[in-house]
Amino acid sequence: VQVGQVMRSFAVGRVVESTLDGYRPGDALVGMFGWQDYADASAKDVLWRVPLTEFPLSYSLGILGINGMTAYFGVTRICQPKPGETFVVSTAAGAVGSAAGQIAGLLGARSVGIAGGADKQRRCTEDFGFATAVDYKAARTAEDLAASLRQACPTGIDCFFDNTAGVVADVVRHQLNPGARIALCGTAAVPGWDPWPLGERVERHLLNKRAMMRGFVITDHVDQFAAAQAQLASWLRAGALRFREQVLFDLSQAPGAIALLFEGRNDGKLLVRVGSSER
C-alpha cells in the first residue's frame, strides 16, 4: 500500500449508485472496498452478494463470510473429522477457531481448543461448546504445554486445525494419531519470513504417522461459497452455531483496531463500522 492510497480491507456495504448492469441501489455486497466511507468500485472488487438478508450485514464479514467459510472448508474438506475423533484447533476462541471447533462438534468429533488466557479458555467451553480447552499462556515451557495437551487429549489427536504454526503446532504434532489430518490455515505465531525461520522438522511425524498436512485459502472454494453459507446459516437458525463480534464505531478506530487484534485483546470478530448504524 503506497502513501496516499486507501488501506486495503474486506468490507460489506450497500450500493448507493450504479452504472453497472446487475447492480442496483440497495444491493448488499462484500468486497475489497478498503478503509473508506464510500468506495468507487468495479465488478472485480466485488467478492459476492449478501444472499441472506435475515442476518445482520456484519455477519457477512464473520460467521457467514471469510471466517465462517474458512472454518467450514478447513473442517469439512481437509480434516473431515469422524464421530468420536479428537479435533484440536489453535486460536480456538477466535472467529475462525471457534467456528471450526463447533463445526467439528456438529459432525460428531470431540473438540479441544488451544487459546491464550483463562478467559478465552473458559469461552471455548462455556460459549462455544468445546469438550475442553488448554491455555497455552499458562504453560511456562513447551513441555508444560505438551503435558496439558496430553491430559486434554488422552487418546491422541486425529485432526488439527492449525491457525498459528510455531511452538503450539510443534507440540500438537508430537501427539498425532496414525492417519491424522492437519488443515494449515494460518501462521500467526511466526513473527516474520525474512529471513526464513528455521524450526522443528515435520517430515518424520507425517511419515511415521501416515499423516496429511494441507494448506488452503478461502479462494480455493469460490464455487462452493453459496452452499457453505447456506449450511452455516442453517446451523445459526437452529442455535447450533454461536458467534461473537466486537464492533468499533467510526473509521478513526481502524488503526487502533489492528493493534487490538494482534495483541489478542479483541472479544470476537473485530469490525469497524463506518457510515450509518444499520446492522
Side-chain angles (χ1 to χ4, degrees):
V1 179
Q2 300 300 312
V3 173
Q5 290 184 331
V6 175
M7 180 62 72
R8 291 191 298 266
S9 176
F10 291 111
V12 60
R14 295 191 181 277
V15 176
V16 176
E17 182 178 327
S18 175
T19 60
L20 296 177
D21 291 338
Y23 295 92
R24 299 176 300 176
D27 287 350
L29 307 173
V30 174
M32 275 298 243
F33 302 140
W35 288 7
Q36 52 189 339
D37 294 294
Y38 294 91
D40 184 6
S42 63
K44 66 179 177 61
D45 298 312
V46 177
L47 295 175
W48 67 82
R49 296 173 183 273
V50 176
L52 303 163
T53 57
E54 68 192 273
F55 298 103
L57 274 184
S58 59
Y59 279 32
S60 293
L61 293 177
I63 193 63
L64 294 176
I66 295 295
N67 302 116
M69 289 193 289
T70 295
Y72 179 84
F73 291 123
V75 174
T76 63
R77 300 294 188 269
I78 299 177
C79 289
Q80 299 184 15
K82 302 177 181 64
E85 288 190 326
T86 297
F87 179 98
V88 172
V89 56
S90 53
T91 63
V96 174
S98 63
Q102 290 179 86
I103 292 168
L106 289 167
L107 298 178
R110 178 178 179 268
S111 292
V112 176
I114 302 175
D119 286 343
K120 291 185 177 180
Q121 180 186 24
R122 175 195 53 75
R123 192 179 303 163
C124 288
T125 55
E126 295 182 7
D127 293 352
F128 301 126
F130 284 63
T132 190
V134 173
D135 175 10
Y136 75 85
K137 289 186 176 180
R140 292 174 295 177
T141 65
E143 289 75 19
D144 289 342
L145 178 59
S148 296
L149 194 60
R150 279 192 295 271
Q151 184 176 8
C153 307
T155 61
I157 297 167
D158 302 293
C159 301
F160 177 37
F161 196 107
D162 184 7
N163 285 308
T164 65
V167 173
V168 167
D170 293 342
V171 169
V172 171
R173 281 191 293 267
H174 279 272
Q175 300 185 32
L176 293 176
N177 287 330
R181 289 84 67 198
I182 302 172
L184 181 54
C185 180
T187 59
V190 180
W193 295 94
D194 185 15
W196 200 271
L198 298 177
E200 182 177 273
R201 303 274 70 83
V202 305
E203 294 83 0
R204 202 70 185 170
H205 293 296
L206 302 180
L207 173 63
N208 285 350
K209 298 166 185 176
R210 284 83 71 197
M212 183 275 291
M213 181 167 68
R214 177 180 169 186
F216 75 105
V217 293
I218 188 66
T219 50
D220 296 342
H221 304 282
V222 172
D223 60 331
Q224 301 168 57
F225 276 8
Q229 288 172 324
Q231 179 59 75
L232 292 166
S234 177
W235 283 328
L236 281 171
R237 293 188 195 100
L241 188 59
R242 296 183 179 181
F243 174 68
R244 294 172 69 101
E245 61 180 23
Q246 178 181 355
V247 181
L248 305 178
F249 291 85
D250 194 81
L251 191 58
S252 64
Q253 299 293 314
I258 294 293
L260 193 70
L261 179 68
F262 282 100
E263 291 166 4
R265 293 186 291 116
N266 55 301
D267 184 15
K269 172 66 177 181
L270 187 60
L271 302 166
V272 176
R273 189 187 310 282
V274 300
S276 73
S277 60
E278 176 193 3
R279 283 193 57 76

